[in-house]
Amino acid sequence: METDVIVNRVTNSGLVTLDLEAYYHPGERVVYDLKDNLFMGMILKEKDFRAFLKEHDWSQYAGKNVAITCSEDAIIPTWAYMLLTLQLQPYAHTVVYGTLQDLDEKLYFDAIKSIEPEAYRGAKVVVKGCSKVPVPTAAYVELTRVLAPVVQSLLFGEPCSTVPLFKRKS
């Protein structure tokens, strides 16, 4: 009598799965909009702004990820963003200029820096495509830039259904 053996080809393939979701920073993301500091919605007065910076309770940003922006069509001097950053930095986990998308990209780029590319030398790597948290496309691009010089092959998707991206020639 012949026995059919089920072989798990995914397990035997030697694929290494890298899930960018594992690098998601769970901290709260907030936007600091300089529009609230504008006089008549148009002008940033240095004296008033400096007084605000001294009086404001910056501890409310402790551990948070902050994107600094101005949603009004006003000319904001660069030094204003710099002063704001100096106030936020002792409390916030991360401070960036831009949108929440820019903030997420920065958080992922920082996390990708912690990946040791040599750990993937010669590996067949599948970058997982589905996640429960938003992963910006820029993070996939950065990960590709970091891994391509060392991996044997790079694929996207799930181990059972991948899109081949790159295979090193022997």
Side-chain angles (χ1 to χ4, degrees):
M1 182 169 161
E2 199 173 303
T3 306
D4 290 331
V5 176
I6 298 174
V7 176
N8 186 334
R9 292 185 352 193
V10 171
T11 301
N12 294 337
S13 68
L15 293 174
V16 175
T17 301
L18 200 151
D19 186 356
L20 277 174
E21 181 177 354
Y23 295 90
Y24 178 80
H25 187 277
E28 184 180 349
R29 287 141 172 80
V30 297
V31 173
Y32 184 93
D33 194 338
L34 272 164
K35 74 174 179 155
D36 299 328
N37 298 105
L38 298 177
F39 175 70
M40 297 179 63
M42 299 184 301
I43 301 166
L44 185 73
K45 290 184 171 182
E46 181 178 358
K47 183 178 177 183
D48 294 346
F49 185 57
R50 286 185 181 273
F52 166 78
L53 293 175
K54 286 181 183 174
E55 298 165 4
H56 189 70
D57 177 15
W58 297 104
S59 67
Q60 66 183 298
Y61 296 96
K64 296 180 182 178
N65 301 295
V66 183
I68 303 171
T69 193
C70 185
S71 61
E72 289 294 325
D73 188 20
I75 297 173
I76 306 295
T78 303
W79 55 258
Y81 293 106
M82 296 169 74
L83 283 172
L84 190 53
T85 300
L86 289 168
Q87 296 302 312
L88 288 164
Q89 191 169 346
Y91 300 99
H93 173 263
T94 299
V95 179
V96 300
Y97 168 78
T99 64
L100 288 175
Q101 168 112 11
D102 297 324
L103 178 60
D104 269 337
E105 288 176 8
K106 166 78 166 118
L107 291 168
Y108 270 104
F109 278 38
D110 288 351
I112 289 169
K113 284 180 189 173
S114 73
I115 294 173
E116 184 56 51
E118 284 302 316
Y120 296 94
R121 182 160 296 282
K124 299 174 187 173
V125 178
V126 176
V127 178
K128 190 173 176 193
C130 298
S131 63
K132 296 175 184 135
V133 298
V135 178
T137 302
Y140 289 103
V141 170
E142 180 65 5
L143 183 64
T144 301
R145 188 190 68 76
V146 167
L147 292 182
V150 296
V151 298
Q152 174 62 36
S153 60
L154 192 61
L155 306 103
F156 176 80
E158 302 296 324
C160 60
S161 175
T162 61
V163 175
L165 304 172
F166 168 80
K167 185 172 184 176
R168 188 167 310 287
K169 295 178 182 169
S170 301

